[in-house]
Amino acid sequence: MLVRIPSASLHGIEAYQVEVEVDISPGLPAFIIVGLPDAAVRESKERVRAALRNCGFDFPAKKIIINLAPASRKKEGSSFDLPVALGLLAFLGVVNRDSLERFLFVGELTLEGSLKSVRGALPFSLLAAERKLSGLILPRKNEREACLVRNLPVYGLEHLLEVIKLLNGSEEIKPASYSISDLVGEVKQEVDISEVRGQQQAKRALEVAAAGGHNILLIGPPGSGKTMLARRLPTILPDMAFEEIIEVTQIYSSAGLLGARAAISQRPFRAPHHTITNTGLVGGGNFPRPGEVSLAHRGVLFMDEFPEFGRQPLESLRQPLEDGYVTISRVACSLTFPCSFMLVAAMNPCSDVFLSSGIGVNCTELERRKYYSRLSRPLLDRIDIQIEVPAVKYQDIVGRPPGESSAEIRKRVSLARNIQWQRFKGRKVFANSHMGSKDLRQFCRVEAEGQKLLETAMKRFQFSARAYDRILKVARTIADLSGQEELSAPAIGEAVQYRLLDIF
Protein backbone atom coordinates (compact mmCIF):
# COMPACT_ATOMS: atom_id res chain seq x y z
CA MET A 1 0.00 0.00 0.00
CA LEU A 2 1.39 3.40 -1.03
CA VAL A 3 0.29 6.74 0.41
CA ARG A 4 1.53 10.19 -0.70
CA ILE A 5 1.34 13.21 1.60
CA PRO A 6 2.39 16.75 0.50
CA SER A 7 4.95 18.36 2.79
CA ALA A 8 7.80 20.84 2.40
CA SER A 9 11.38 21.61 3.36
CA LEU A 10 13.59 24.67 3.33
CA HIS A 11 16.27 25.50 0.79
CA GLY A 12 17.85 28.64 2.20
CA ILE A 13 14.91 30.96 2.84
CA GLU A 14 12.71 29.39 0.17
CA ALA A 15 10.46 26.35 0.61
CA TYR A 16 10.13 23.52 -1.89
CA GLN A 17 7.56 20.75 -1.95
CA VAL A 18 8.47 17.31 -0.65
CA GLU A 19 6.27 14.28 -1.34
CA VAL A 20 6.30 11.99 1.69
CA GLU A 21 5.71 8.54 0.20
CA VAL A 22 4.74 5.86 2.71
CA ASP A 23 4.91 2.24 1.55
CA ILE A 24 3.81 -0.57 3.89
CA SER A 25 4.28 -4.18 2.82
CA PRO A 26 4.47 -7.65 4.39
CA GLY A 27 7.86 -8.74 5.68
CA LEU A 28 10.09 -8.47 8.69
CA PRO A 29 9.14 -5.40 10.78
CA ALA A 30 11.32 -2.46 9.79
CA PHE A 31 11.06 1.34 9.61
CA ILE A 32 13.32 2.84 6.93
CA ILE A 33 13.53 6.49 5.85
CA VAL A 34 15.25 7.27 2.54
CA GLY A 35 15.70 10.47 0.50
CA LEU A 36 18.88 11.98 2.02
CA PRO A 37 17.50 12.59 5.55
CA ASP A 38 19.61 14.20 8.25
CA ALA A 39 19.77 12.94 11.84
CA ALA A 40 16.64 14.82 12.92
CA VAL A 41 14.63 13.32 10.05
CA ARG A 42 15.90 9.79 10.72
CA GLU A 43 14.94 10.09 14.38
CA SER A 44 11.38 10.97 13.44
CA LYS A 45 10.49 7.27 13.27
CA GLU A 46 10.92 6.99 17.06
CA ARG A 47 8.83 10.11 17.72
CA VAL A 48 6.11 8.92 15.36
CA ARG A 49 6.08 5.40 16.84
CA ALA A 50 5.67 6.75 20.40
CA ALA A 51 3.10 9.38 19.37
CA LEU A 52 0.83 6.82 17.66
CA ARG A 53 0.95 4.42 20.59
CA ASN A 54 0.27 7.18 23.13
CA CYS A 55 -2.70 8.32 21.05
CA GLY A 56 -4.19 4.83 21.24
CA PHE A 57 -3.29 3.51 17.77
CA ASP A 58 -1.53 0.25 16.95
CA PHE A 59 1.80 0.63 15.21
CA PRO A 60 1.89 -1.62 12.10
CA ALA A 61 4.28 -4.54 12.58
CA LYS A 62 5.26 -4.58 8.90
CA LYS A 63 8.01 -3.34 6.61
CA ILE A 64 7.61 0.44 6.40
CA ILE A 65 9.57 2.51 3.87
CA ILE A 66 9.35 6.31 3.90
CA ASN A 67 10.68 8.08 0.80
CA LEU A 68 11.16 11.87 0.81
CA ALA A 69 10.97 12.95 -2.82
CA PRO A 70 12.85 14.47 -4.55
CA ALA A 71 15.50 12.07 -3.27
CA SER A 72 18.37 14.14 -4.68
CA ARG A 73 17.98 16.97 -2.11
CA LYS A 74 19.11 16.73 1.48
CA LYS A 75 16.30 17.03 4.01
CA GLU A 76 16.72 18.53 7.48
CA GLY A 77 14.59 19.28 10.51
CA SER A 78 11.69 17.68 12.28
CA SER A 79 8.80 19.03 10.19
CA PHE A 80 8.17 15.64 8.50
CA ASP A 81 6.86 13.99 11.70
CA LEU A 82 3.24 14.95 11.01
CA PRO A 83 3.02 13.76 7.36
CA VAL A 84 4.79 10.48 8.21
CA ALA A 85 2.33 9.81 11.04
CA LEU A 86 -0.64 10.59 8.78
CA GLY A 87 0.66 8.17 6.15
CA LEU A 88 0.71 5.38 8.73
CA LEU A 89 -2.76 6.34 9.97
CA ALA A 90 -4.06 6.18 6.40
CA PHE A 91 -2.82 2.57 6.23
CA LEU A 92 -4.67 1.80 9.46
CA GLY A 93 -7.85 3.30 7.99
CA VAL A 94 -7.99 6.05 10.60
CA VAL A 95 -7.58 8.94 8.12
CA ASN A 96 -9.36 9.48 4.81
CA ARG A 97 -6.64 9.09 2.14
CA ASP A 98 -8.31 11.46 -0.34
CA SER A 99 -8.15 14.36 2.12
CA LEU A 100 -4.37 13.99 2.49
CA GLU A 101 -3.67 15.20 -1.06
CA ARG A 102 -5.45 18.53 -0.63
CA PHE A 103 -3.32 20.06 2.15
CA LEU A 104 0.31 20.78 2.91
CA PHE A 105 1.42 19.23 6.22
CA VAL A 106 4.34 20.28 8.42
CA GLY A 107 4.92 19.77 12.11
CA GLU A 108 7.03 18.09 14.77
CA LEU A 109 5.41 15.55 17.08
CA THR A 110 6.05 15.10 20.76
CA LEU A 111 5.96 11.58 22.21
CA GLU A 112 2.36 12.07 23.34
CA GLY A 113 1.14 13.49 20.01
CA SER A 114 1.23 17.26 20.48
CA LEU A 115 2.45 19.47 17.63
CA LYS A 116 5.57 21.56 18.23
CA SER A 117 6.53 24.62 16.21
CA VAL A 118 8.89 24.40 13.23
CA ARG A 119 11.12 26.80 11.31
CA GLY A 120 9.88 28.30 8.03
CA ALA A 121 6.12 28.54 8.50
CA LEU A 122 5.89 31.63 6.28
CA PRO A 123 7.87 30.07 3.38
CA PHE A 124 5.68 26.96 3.71
CA SER A 125 2.57 29.13 3.55
CA LEU A 126 3.88 30.94 0.46
CA LEU A 127 4.54 27.55 -1.18
CA ALA A 128 1.04 26.25 -0.39
CA ALA A 129 -0.50 29.38 -1.92
CA GLU A 130 1.72 29.07 -5.00
CA ARG A 131 0.72 25.41 -5.48
CA LYS A 132 -2.95 26.36 -4.98
CA LEU A 133 -3.53 23.74 -2.29
CA SER A 134 -6.68 23.73 -0.18
CA GLY A 135 -4.80 24.81 2.92
CA LEU A 136 -1.84 24.47 5.25
CA ILE A 137 -1.94 22.34 8.40
CA LEU A 138 0.78 23.12 10.94
CA PRO A 139 1.34 23.63 14.70
CA ARG A 140 -0.72 26.27 16.49
CA LYS A 141 2.38 28.28 17.46
CA ASN A 142 3.16 28.88 13.76
CA GLU A 143 -0.40 29.84 12.87
CA ARG A 144 -0.18 33.64 13.03
CA GLU A 145 3.03 33.77 11.02
CA ALA A 146 1.54 31.59 8.25
CA CYS A 147 -1.57 33.81 8.10
CA LEU A 148 0.48 36.65 6.61
CA VAL A 149 -0.28 35.00 3.25
CA ARG A 150 -3.77 36.11 2.38
CA ASN A 151 -6.47 33.92 0.79
CA LEU A 152 -4.86 30.69 2.06
CA PRO A 153 -6.76 28.65 4.68
CA VAL A 154 -4.36 28.02 7.57
CA TYR A 155 -5.18 25.47 10.26
CA GLY A 156 -3.05 25.81 13.37
CA LEU A 157 -3.64 22.74 15.51
CA GLU A 158 -2.23 21.55 18.83
CA HIS A 159 -2.53 17.77 18.67
CA LEU A 160 -2.46 14.88 16.20
CA LEU A 161 -6.02 13.94 17.19
CA GLU A 162 -7.23 17.39 16.06
CA VAL A 163 -5.64 16.83 12.66
CA ILE A 164 -7.48 13.49 12.36
CA LYS A 165 -10.81 15.14 13.21
CA LEU A 166 -10.23 17.87 10.63
CA LEU A 167 -9.33 15.44 7.84
CA ASN A 168 -12.24 13.10 8.58
CA GLY A 169 -14.73 15.95 8.98
CA SER A 170 -15.88 14.56 12.32
CA GLU A 171 -15.52 17.98 13.90
CA GLU A 172 -15.87 21.37 12.26
CA ILE A 173 -12.59 23.22 12.56
CA LYS A 174 -12.43 26.62 10.90
CA PRO A 175 -9.22 28.12 9.49
CA ALA A 176 -7.48 30.82 11.45
CA SER A 177 -8.62 34.38 10.85
CA TYR A 178 -6.49 37.43 11.68
CA SER A 179 -6.46 40.97 10.38
CA ILE A 180 -3.22 42.41 9.06
CA SER A 181 -3.12 44.89 11.95
CA ASP A 182 -3.34 42.00 14.43
CA LEU A 183 -0.40 40.26 12.78
CA VAL A 184 1.83 43.24 12.07
CA GLY A 185 1.05 45.29 15.15
CA GLU A 186 1.91 48.90 15.86
CA VAL A 187 5.53 49.99 15.55
CA LYS A 188 6.70 51.46 18.86
CA GLN A 189 10.06 53.25 18.99
CA GLU A 190 11.83 52.85 22.32
CA VAL A 191 14.47 55.47 21.55
CA ASP A 192 14.44 58.87 19.87
CA ILE A 193 17.13 60.88 18.12
CA SER A 194 16.23 63.93 20.22
CA GLU A 195 17.94 62.16 23.13
CA VAL A 196 21.33 62.75 21.47
CA ARG A 197 22.81 66.02 22.75
CA GLY A 198 24.76 68.15 20.32
CA GLN A 199 26.25 66.42 17.24
CA GLN A 200 24.19 68.49 14.81
CA GLN A 201 26.45 67.68 11.87
CA ALA A 202 26.31 63.96 12.60
CA LYS A 203 22.50 64.11 12.88
CA ARG A 204 22.35 65.87 9.53
CA ALA A 205 24.57 63.18 8.01
CA LEU A 206 22.26 60.47 9.42
CA GLU A 207 19.26 62.24 7.89
CA VAL A 208 20.96 62.33 4.48
CA ALA A 209 21.96 58.67 4.83
CA ALA A 210 18.40 57.65 5.75
CA ALA A 211 16.88 59.67 2.91
CA GLY A 212 19.06 58.05 0.24
CA GLY A 213 19.82 54.65 1.78
CA HIS A 214 23.53 55.51 2.01
CA ASN A 215 26.15 53.66 4.03
CA ILE A 216 27.85 55.79 6.68
CA LEU A 217 31.07 55.66 8.70
CA LEU A 218 31.25 57.51 12.05
CA ILE A 219 34.75 58.40 13.28
CA GLY A 220 35.20 59.76 16.77
CA PRO A 221 36.56 59.17 20.27
CA PRO A 222 34.80 56.93 22.82
CA GLY A 223 31.79 58.57 24.43
CA SER A 224 31.06 60.93 21.56
CA GLY A 225 27.70 59.27 20.81
CA LYS A 226 28.45 57.06 17.79
CA THR A 227 26.50 54.07 19.12
CA MET A 228 23.61 56.28 20.28
CA LEU A 229 23.34 57.77 16.81
CA ALA A 230 23.50 54.39 15.10
CA ARG A 231 20.78 52.86 17.30
CA ARG A 232 18.47 55.75 16.50
CA LEU A 233 18.89 55.54 12.74
CA PRO A 234 15.98 53.05 12.31
CA THR A 235 13.67 55.54 14.05
CA ILE A 236 14.05 58.06 11.20
CA LEU A 237 13.72 55.53 8.37
CA PRO A 238 10.37 55.28 6.55
CA ASP A 239 7.89 52.68 7.83
CA MET A 240 8.16 49.28 6.20
CA ALA A 241 5.77 48.45 3.35
CA PHE A 242 3.85 45.17 3.60
CA GLU A 243 6.02 43.61 0.88
CA GLU A 244 9.12 44.48 2.91
CA ILE A 245 7.55 42.96 6.03
CA ILE A 246 7.00 39.69 4.12
CA GLU A 247 10.61 39.69 2.85
CA VAL A 248 12.17 40.26 6.26
CA THR A 249 9.79 37.91 8.10
CA GLN A 250 10.61 35.16 5.61
CA ILE A 251 14.30 35.46 6.47
CA TYR A 252 13.70 35.39 10.22
CA SER A 253 11.20 32.54 9.87
CA SER A 254 13.65 30.34 7.96
CA ALA A 255 16.34 31.13 10.54
CA GLY A 256 14.02 30.28 13.44
CA LEU A 257 14.36 33.74 15.00
CA LEU A 258 10.77 34.98 15.01
CA GLY A 259 10.04 33.81 18.54
CA ALA A 260 6.52 34.76 19.61
CA ARG A 261 6.19 37.43 16.91
CA ALA A 262 3.96 36.93 13.88
CA ALA A 263 5.96 39.31 11.72
CA ILE A 264 8.95 41.67 11.68
CA SER A 265 7.23 45.04 11.29
CA GLN A 266 10.08 47.24 12.54
CA ARG A 267 13.22 47.74 10.49
CA PRO A 268 15.89 45.33 11.76
CA PHE A 269 18.93 46.59 13.65
CA ARG A 270 21.77 44.10 13.85
CA ALA A 271 24.99 44.78 15.76
CA PRO A 272 27.38 41.81 15.50
CA HIS A 273 30.49 41.69 17.71
CA HIS A 274 33.84 42.25 16.00
CA THR A 275 34.85 38.64 16.76
CA ILE A 276 32.15 37.29 14.42
CA THR A 277 33.26 34.76 11.81
CA ASN A 278 32.82 35.15 8.08
CA THR A 279 30.08 32.49 8.12
CA GLY A 280 28.24 34.29 10.91
CA LEU A 281 28.38 37.58 9.01
CA VAL A 282 27.43 36.57 5.45
CA GLY A 283 25.81 33.17 6.11
CA GLY A 284 26.73 29.55 5.45
CA GLY A 285 27.00 26.20 7.17
CA ASN A 286 26.34 22.62 6.05
CA PHE A 287 22.73 23.64 5.47
CA PRO A 288 23.37 27.33 4.64
CA ARG A 289 21.57 29.76 6.93
CA PRO A 290 21.24 33.55 6.62
CA GLY A 291 24.02 35.59 8.22
CA GLU A 292 23.91 38.99 9.90
CA VAL A 293 23.91 40.84 6.57
CA SER A 294 20.67 39.05 5.58
CA LEU A 295 19.11 39.45 9.03
CA ALA A 296 19.67 43.20 8.54
CA HIS A 297 17.76 43.15 5.21
CA ARG A 298 15.70 46.36 4.80
CA GLY A 299 17.24 47.65 8.01
CA VAL A 300 20.56 48.64 9.57
CA LEU A 301 23.77 46.67 10.10
CA PHE A 302 25.85 48.39 12.78
CA MET A 303 29.52 47.42 12.99
CA ASP A 304 31.16 49.05 15.99
CA GLU A 305 34.98 49.10 16.24
CA PHE A 306 35.01 48.63 12.47
CA PRO A 307 38.77 48.05 12.00
CA GLU A 308 38.74 45.35 14.71
CA PHE A 309 36.72 42.99 12.52
CA GLY A 310 38.66 40.27 10.72
CA ARG A 311 40.01 40.96 7.27
CA GLN A 312 37.94 38.23 5.61
CA PRO A 313 34.56 39.30 7.09
CA LEU A 314 35.25 42.91 6.11
CA GLU A 315 36.18 42.07 2.53
CA SER A 316 33.19 39.75 2.21
CA LEU A 317 30.98 42.83 2.72
CA ARG A 318 31.92 44.18 -0.69
CA GLN A 319 29.46 42.09 -2.72
CA PRO A 320 26.47 42.65 -0.37
CA LEU A 321 27.12 46.40 -0.28
CA GLU A 322 27.35 46.59 -4.06
CA ASP A 323 24.66 44.12 -5.16
CA GLY A 324 22.18 43.82 -2.30
CA TYR A 325 22.47 40.04 -2.14
CA VAL A 326 25.05 37.45 -1.12
CA THR A 327 25.71 34.08 -2.77
CA ILE A 328 26.80 31.10 -0.68
CA SER A 329 28.39 28.32 -2.75
CA ARG A 330 28.74 24.77 -1.50
CA VAL A 331 29.60 21.50 -3.25
CA ALA A 332 25.98 20.36 -3.32
CA CYS A 333 24.23 23.70 -3.90
CA SER A 334 24.48 27.43 -4.32
CA LEU A 335 22.15 29.74 -2.39
CA THR A 336 21.43 33.44 -2.72
CA PHE A 337 20.22 35.45 0.28
CA PRO A 338 18.86 39.02 0.03
CA CYS A 339 20.78 41.61 2.04
CA SER A 340 19.80 45.13 1.06
CA PHE A 341 20.80 46.99 4.22
CA MET A 342 22.29 50.26 5.37
CA LEU A 343 25.76 49.86 6.84
CA VAL A 344 26.61 52.05 9.82
CA ALA A 345 30.24 51.60 10.85
CA ALA A 346 31.92 53.27 13.82
CA MET A 347 35.57 53.57 14.69
CA ASN A 348 38.00 55.50 16.88
CA PRO A 349 40.52 57.95 15.40
CA CYS A 350 43.36 55.52 16.24
CA SER A 351 43.92 52.23 18.03
CA ASP A 352 45.55 53.65 21.20
CA VAL A 353 42.89 56.29 21.61
CA PHE A 354 42.95 56.30 25.43
CA LEU A 355 46.72 56.79 25.48
CA SER A 356 46.55 59.95 23.37
CA SER A 357 46.03 63.27 25.07
CA GLY A 358 42.52 64.63 24.69
CA ILE A 359 41.06 61.11 24.20
CA GLY A 360 42.15 60.65 20.63
CA VAL A 361 42.15 64.30 19.54
CA ASN A 362 45.92 64.36 19.18
CA CYS A 363 46.40 61.03 17.44
CA THR A 364 49.47 61.35 15.27
CA GLU A 365 49.25 60.98 11.50
CA LEU A 366 51.28 57.77 11.72
CA GLU A 367 48.85 56.31 14.29
CA ARG A 368 45.88 57.22 12.11
CA ARG A 369 47.37 55.74 8.94
CA LYS A 370 48.31 52.52 10.71
CA TYR A 371 44.81 52.15 12.12
CA TYR A 372 43.00 53.06 8.89
CA SER A 373 45.17 50.64 6.91
CA ARG A 374 43.11 47.78 8.35
CA LEU A 375 40.31 48.94 6.05
CA SER A 376 40.83 48.41 2.32
CA ARG A 377 40.27 51.26 -0.10
CA PRO A 378 37.66 49.32 -2.15
CA LEU A 379 35.63 48.80 1.03
CA LEU A 380 35.85 52.45 2.08
CA ASP A 381 34.87 53.56 -1.42
CA ARG A 382 31.58 51.70 -0.94
CA ILE A 383 30.72 53.82 2.11
CA ASP A 384 29.05 56.96 0.80
CA ILE A 385 29.30 59.12 3.93
CA GLN A 386 32.38 59.33 6.16
CA ILE A 387 32.03 61.86 8.95
CA GLU A 388 33.76 62.88 12.17
CA VAL A 389 31.83 62.69 15.45
CA PRO A 390 33.78 64.91 17.90
CA ALA A 391 33.62 64.72 21.68
CA VAL A 392 30.48 66.36 23.09
CA LYS A 393 31.03 69.73 24.75
CA TYR A 394 29.85 70.38 28.30
CA GLN A 395 27.56 73.18 27.13
CA ASP A 396 25.77 70.76 24.77
CA ILE A 397 25.25 68.23 27.55
CA VAL A 398 23.70 70.56 30.13
CA GLY A 399 22.58 73.66 28.24
CA ARG A 400 21.34 72.77 24.77
CA PRO A 401 17.59 71.98 24.54
CA PRO A 402 16.51 68.71 22.91
CA GLY A 403 16.68 68.75 19.13
CA GLU A 404 14.17 67.54 16.56
CA SER A 405 12.36 64.30 17.29
CA SER A 406 12.68 61.20 15.15
CA ALA A 407 9.11 61.68 13.89
CA GLU A 408 9.91 65.15 12.53
CA ILE A 409 13.03 63.97 10.72
CA ARG A 410 11.23 60.84 9.45
CA LYS A 411 8.67 63.06 7.69
CA ARG A 412 11.41 64.76 5.64
CA VAL A 413 13.10 61.44 4.97
CA SER A 414 9.82 59.91 3.78
CA LEU A 415 9.18 62.85 1.43
CA ALA A 416 12.65 62.44 -0.08
CA ARG A 417 12.10 58.68 -0.46
CA ASN A 418 8.76 59.33 -2.21
CA ILE A 419 10.56 61.56 -4.72
CA GLN A 420 13.00 58.73 -5.39
CA TRP A 421 10.27 56.10 -5.74
CA GLN A 422 8.56 58.27 -8.36
CA ARG A 423 11.85 58.93 -10.12
CA PHE A 424 12.85 55.28 -10.35
CA LYS A 425 9.39 53.85 -11.06
CA GLY A 426 9.71 50.80 -13.30
CA ARG A 427 13.40 50.31 -12.51
CA LYS A 428 15.19 47.97 -10.13
CA VAL A 429 16.32 51.00 -8.12
CA PHE A 430 14.59 52.05 -4.91
CA ALA A 431 16.92 54.71 -3.48
CA ASN A 432 19.66 57.06 -4.66
CA SER A 433 22.37 54.81 -3.23
CA HIS A 434 21.36 52.06 -5.69
CA MET A 435 21.82 54.18 -8.82
CA GLY A 436 24.07 52.87 -11.57
CA SER A 437 26.24 54.87 -13.96
CA LYS A 438 23.37 55.23 -16.45
CA ASP A 439 21.08 56.57 -13.73
CA LEU A 440 23.74 59.04 -12.58
CA ARG A 441 24.00 60.53 -16.07
CA GLN A 442 20.23 60.83 -16.34
CA PHE A 443 19.24 62.07 -12.88
CA CYS A 444 22.32 63.90 -11.54
CA ARG A 445 22.52 67.09 -13.57
CA VAL A 446 24.96 69.49 -11.87
CA GLU A 447 24.67 73.28 -12.08
CA ALA A 448 27.60 75.25 -13.53
CA GLU A 449 28.93 76.40 -10.15
CA GLY A 450 28.58 72.89 -8.82
CA GLN A 451 30.56 71.56 -11.78
CA LYS A 452 33.44 73.91 -11.00
CA LEU A 453 33.40 72.99 -7.33
CA LEU A 454 33.33 69.27 -8.14
CA GLU A 455 36.21 69.59 -10.59
CA THR A 456 38.30 71.46 -8.02
CA ALA A 457 37.60 68.83 -5.35
CA MET A 458 38.45 65.95 -7.71
CA LYS A 459 41.84 67.49 -8.56
CA ARG A 460 42.73 68.64 -5.06
CA PHE A 461 41.79 65.48 -3.15
CA GLN A 462 42.43 63.02 -5.98
CA PHE A 463 39.10 61.25 -5.57
CA SER A 464 38.68 57.87 -7.28
CA ALA A 465 36.04 57.31 -9.95
CA ARG A 466 33.95 55.36 -7.42
CA ALA A 467 34.22 58.25 -4.93
CA TYR A 468 33.05 60.62 -7.68
CA ASP A 469 29.93 58.50 -8.16
CA ARG A 470 29.32 58.42 -4.40
CA ILE A 471 29.52 62.22 -4.22
CA LEU A 472 26.89 62.55 -6.95
CA LYS A 473 24.58 60.06 -5.22
CA VAL A 474 24.82 61.87 -1.88
CA ALA A 475 24.39 65.26 -3.55
CA ARG A 476 21.27 63.90 -5.29
CA THR A 477 19.84 62.97 -1.89
CA ILE A 478 20.69 66.37 -0.41
CA ALA A 479 18.90 68.02 -3.33
CA ASP A 480 15.87 65.76 -2.82
CA LEU A 481 15.67 66.83 0.84
CA SER A 482 15.63 70.43 -0.35
CA GLY A 483 13.17 69.76 -3.18
CA GLN A 484 15.68 70.77 -5.89
CA GLU A 485 15.88 69.21 -9.34
CA GLU A 486 19.50 70.05 -10.21
CA LEU A 487 22.52 69.56 -7.98
CA SER A 488 23.60 72.96 -6.69
CA ALA A 489 27.04 74.01 -5.45
CA PRO A 490 25.95 73.81 -1.76
CA ALA A 491 24.71 70.23 -2.30
CA ILE A 492 28.00 69.26 -3.98
CA GLY A 493 30.00 70.99 -1.24
CA GLU A 494 28.14 69.16 1.53
CA ALA A 495 28.56 65.82 -0.26
CA VAL A 496 32.33 66.42 -0.64
CA GLN A 497 32.60 67.13 3.10
CA TYR A 498 31.21 63.66 3.75
CA ARG A 499 34.32 62.05 2.19
CA LEU A 500 36.39 62.52 5.36
CA LEU A 501 38.94 59.74 4.76
CA ASP A 502 39.53 60.87 1.18
CA ILE A 503 40.12 64.47 2.23
CA PHE A 504 42.54 63.84 5.10
Side-chain angles (χ1 to χ4, degrees), residues 441-457:
R441 291 193 298 270
Q442 182 176 353
F443 300 117
C444 295
R445 296 190 300 273
V446 185
E447 294 178 352
E449 291 185 11
Q451 286 281 12
K452 293 179 182 178
L453 178 59
L454 186 56
E455 181 181 359
T456 302

Side-chain angles (χ1 to χ4, degrees), residues 15 34 50 54 59 113 152 173 205 228 272 414 480:
V34 297
N54 289 323
F59 192 84
L152 174 71
I173 300 177
M228 280 191 71
S414 298
D480 289 340

Side-chain angles (χ1 to χ4, degrees), residues 68-84:
L68 307 178
S72 58
R73 282 187 170 184
K74 291 184 177 181
K75 318 300 187 308
E76 65 163 333
S78 55
S79 60
F80 298 112
D81 292 3
L82 178 59
V84 169

Side-chain angles (χ1 to χ4, degrees), residues 30-335:
F31 198 148
I32 304 169
I33 299 179
V34 297
L36 295 182
D38 72 347
V41 178
R42 289 193 298 270
E43 290 172 355
S44 68
K45 58 186 179 183
E46 304 303 334
R47 293 190 294 271
V48 170
R49 191 194 310 269
L52 292 185
R53 286 178 175 170
N54 289 323
C55 288
F57 302 109
D58 294 327
F59 192 84
K62 296 181 179 293
K63 184 177 182 180
I64 303 171
I65 299 178
I66 310 293
N67 179 43
L68 307 178
S72 58
R73 282 187 170 184
K74 291 184 177 181
K75 318 300 187 308
E76 65 163 333
S78 55
S79 60
F80 298 112
D81 292 3
L82 178 59
V84 169
L86 292 174
L88 297 177
L89 290 173
F91 169 78
L92 296 174
V94 176
V95 173
N96 183 0
R97 289 184 58 183
D98 295 334
S99 62
L100 292 177
E101 299 178 357
R102 298 187 292 112
F103 297 94
L104 189 73
F105 300 90
V106 290
E108 177 185 339
L109 287 175
T110 66
L111 299 187
E112 54 90 24
S114 296
L115 296 178
K116 295 190 66 176
S117 61
V118 295
R119 289 191 301 112
L122 179 56
F124 295 151
S125 185
L126 291 168
L127 176 66
E130 179 186 341
R131 295 299 176 95
K132 298 182 179 179
L133 295 173
S134 298
L136 172 65
I137 297 178
L138 78 173
R140 176 68 57 83
K141 290 184 178 180
N142 296 119
E143 179 183 75
R144 296 174 66 243
E145 170 192 348
C147 285
L148 285 170
V149 179
R150 313 311 295 169
N151 302 320
L152 174 71
V154 175
Y155 298 88
L157 306 177
E158 294 184 348
H159 201 276
L160 179 60
L161 295 178
E162 290 185 61
V163 180
I164 296 172
K165 292 177 183 177
L166 171 64
L167 296 176
N168 291 338
S170 59
E171 183 177 315
E172 185 180 0
I173 300 177
K174 295 183 179 180
S177 178
Y178 296 94
S179 66
I180 292 297
S181 58
D182 290 336
L183 298 173
V184 173
E186 183 181 356
V187 177
K188 296 181 180 180
Q189 305 290 358
E190 298 180 355
V191 294
D192 196 278
I193 202 168
S194 62
E195 298 165 351
V196 180
R197 298 288 182 167
Q199 304 297 6
Q200 298 306 311
Q201 186 181 13
K203 290 181 183 179
R204 167 64 177 177
L206 276 189
E207 180 180 342
V208 174
H214 303 287
N215 304 313
I216 183 170
L217 173 63
L218 306 174
I219 305 173
S224 58
K226 303 187 294 297
T227 301
M228 280 191 71
L229 288 164
R231 291 191 177 278
R232 284 149 182 78
L233 176 57
T235 67
I236 64 174
L237 290 172
D239 294 333
M240 295 177 69
F242 184 71
E243 293 76 11
E244 292 178 311
I245 292 175
I246 292 293
E247 288 179 14
V248 178
T249 304
Q250 185 174 353
I251 295 172
Y252 277 73
S253 175
S254 63
L257 298 177
L258 268 183
R261 296 170 292 183
I264 303 295
S265 57
Q266 192 169 353
R267 294 196 179 273
F269 180 87
R270 304 294 298 186
H273 192 261
H274 61 78
T275 57
I276 192 171
T277 63
N278 189 56
T279 299
L281 186 62
V282 301
N286 293 330
F287 291 94
R289 302 280 180 88
E292 290 292 332
V293 296
S294 296
L295 296 174
H297 184 59
R298 303 300 183 191
V300 176
L301 178 68
F302 176 50
M303 300 181 72
D304 199 7
E305 304 296 343
F306 198 40
E308 303 298 332
F309 283 80
R311 187 76 173 186
Q312 187 178 6
L314 286 178
E315 292 305 310
S316 65
L317 284 174
R318 288 160 59 177
Q319 184 203 3
L321 290 175
E322 197 74 23
D323 302 328
Y325 62 85
V326 62
T327 301
I328 308 296
S329 297
R330 294 293 181 267
V331 174
C333 65
S334 179
L335 290 173

